[in-house]
Amino acid sequence: MKGSTATAEGADAALISRSLQEPDAFAEIFDRYAPALHRFAARRLGDEAADDVVSETFLNAFQYRRRYNAEYGTARPWLYGIATNVIRRRRRTEVSHYQASLRDGARPLPAGLVEDGVTTLAVNRPLVSAIAGLKAGDRDVLLLVAWAEFTYEETAVALSIPVGTVRSRLNRARTQVREALEANHG
């Protein structure tokens, strides 16, 4: 499987490079990453806004594809970085999405952030509240690691920050979430 990942990563750089002469080649990058980006954006902003985030992400990626650093290999962190910036500009929407989840319980967090099978509102409400209370940069790091399953290095590339900053933000976010959950149960 590792070999196929390396092949896909090399293919991303080649496709982006080729798209400079053949713009239609970029469609394969879209096909490869749009579904996962949509799921990530929907978790953060809801389904309605996710469509716009994905569209804007790929529009920006296409427009600035000359800036793509082929040394990264895979376009995944680059695209999630763009998406995170788009989401950041919609911070009010993100916080409103979390607050709506807290109010009505109709949109619990997707399985995976908490233990499998534990998606009750009783568990999700304090977790959603804790995530909503994080600083934007800390939340970005936490959600890239937790939901997109990024490594520290991929998160650093996506957010254009040093790996040490990723580690400190993730530690701070985990601590704040843990403390918020303990306070809720205490």
Side-chain angles (χ1 to χ4, degrees), residues 1-82:
M1 180 137 178
K2 193 123 174 134
S4 66
T5 301
T7 303
E9 291 175 357
D12 287 353
L15 279 170
I16 292 170
S17 177
R18 194 172 97 217
S19 77
L20 296 172
Q21 277 30 316
E22 302 170 32
D24 289 346
F26 200 79
E28 193 168 330
I29 296 294
F30 178 87
D31 293 342
R32 189 174 291 163
Y33 295 105
L37 272 170
H38 190 277
R39 285 188 300 276
F40 180 74
R43 285 176 161 179
R44 293 194 66 177
L45 300 175
D47 284 327
E48 291 177 28
D51 292 337
D52 293 338
V53 168
V54 171
S55 295
E56 192 173 338
T57 296
F58 280 97
L59 179 64
N60 288 334
F62 182 79
Q63 185 176 9
Y64 297 109
R65 67 193 186 281
R66 288 190 187 284
R67 296 182 187 173
Y68 174 73
N69 184 345
E71 290 178 16
Y72 295 149
T74 177
R76 187 171 169 248
W78 177 63
L79 292 168
Y80 275 79
I82 295 169

